[in-house]
Amino acid sequence: MRAIRVASAALLGVTALSLTAPTAHAARAGDITSFGFGVAPSTIAAGGQVILRVNGCHHRTTVSSGVFDTVTIPRGQSSATATVDWDARPGTVYEVSFQCGNESGQTDLTIASSHPTHHPTHLPTRGSHAGAGGTLAGFDLHEIGLGAALVAGSLVAAWRWSRRRTEDSSHT
């Protein structure tokens, strides 16, 4: 009888642990590259200009999307600009593809509902290559804390449940 209680508690713990895996951070194969890339701003009105940036690519980079003409960032440079088509539909999300050598990565560009205003953007030619803020090895610390709390809670509940069953059986 004790083996069943222990197995049940272990199964409950394993189930809680498996449910805390950060599946929301599962990445598409195209999202992980050896080079960094991005579009600034990530939301722009039709007709506006975006800055396409890349770092860590030792080849020329070709950037393409259905919302602007294909742009080439020459080897040794880290950015270029592209003008969004005037007929881009507001609220639409377009995929922007960066091709560096044999690797490619994608990001999204959203078309805003208003017309662009001209705000000059000055980006440095070189920037620091840093990780995502508030993460540990790509995991959000809040998610890790929540997962740990769920696992700890399920283990405590399983232990109390098995202890209560032991006390109930000793009184009979």
Side-chain angles (χ1 to χ4, degrees), residues 53-70:
R53 54 184 164 73
V54 63
N55 62 356
C57 178
H58 303 294
H59 307 280
R60 76 175 182 180
T61 304
T62 304
V63 185
S64 59
S65 178
V67 73
F68 56 78
D69 294 333
T70 300

Side-chain angles (χ1 to χ4, degrees), residues 126-146:
R126 297 258 185 228
S128 65
H129 186 67
T135 67
L136 178 68
F139 299 107
D140 187 351
L141 293 179
H142 293 192
E143 289 179 357
I144 292 173
L146 179 60

Side-chain angles (χ1 to χ4, degrees), residues 32-105:
I32 301 172
T33 62
S34 65
F35 66 97
F37 58 90
V39 178
S42 62
T43 301
I44 187 92
Q49 270 196 335
V50 292
I51 297 175
L52 310 168
R53 54 184 164 73
V54 63
N55 62 356
C57 178
H58 303 294
H59 307 280
R60 76 175 182 180
T61 304
T62 304
V63 185
S64 59
S65 178
V67 73
F68 56 78
D69 294 333
T70 300
V71 175
T72 300
I73 303 173
R75 180 180 178 188
Q77 291 189 10
S78 60
S79 66
T81 60
T83 302
V84 174
D85 295 339
W86 279 101
D87 59 351
R89 291 185 49 218
T92 304
V93 177
Y94 290 90
E95 185 174 86
V96 180
S97 297
F98 291 77
Q99 182 74 36
C100 170
N102 294 330
E103 286 186 276
S104 65

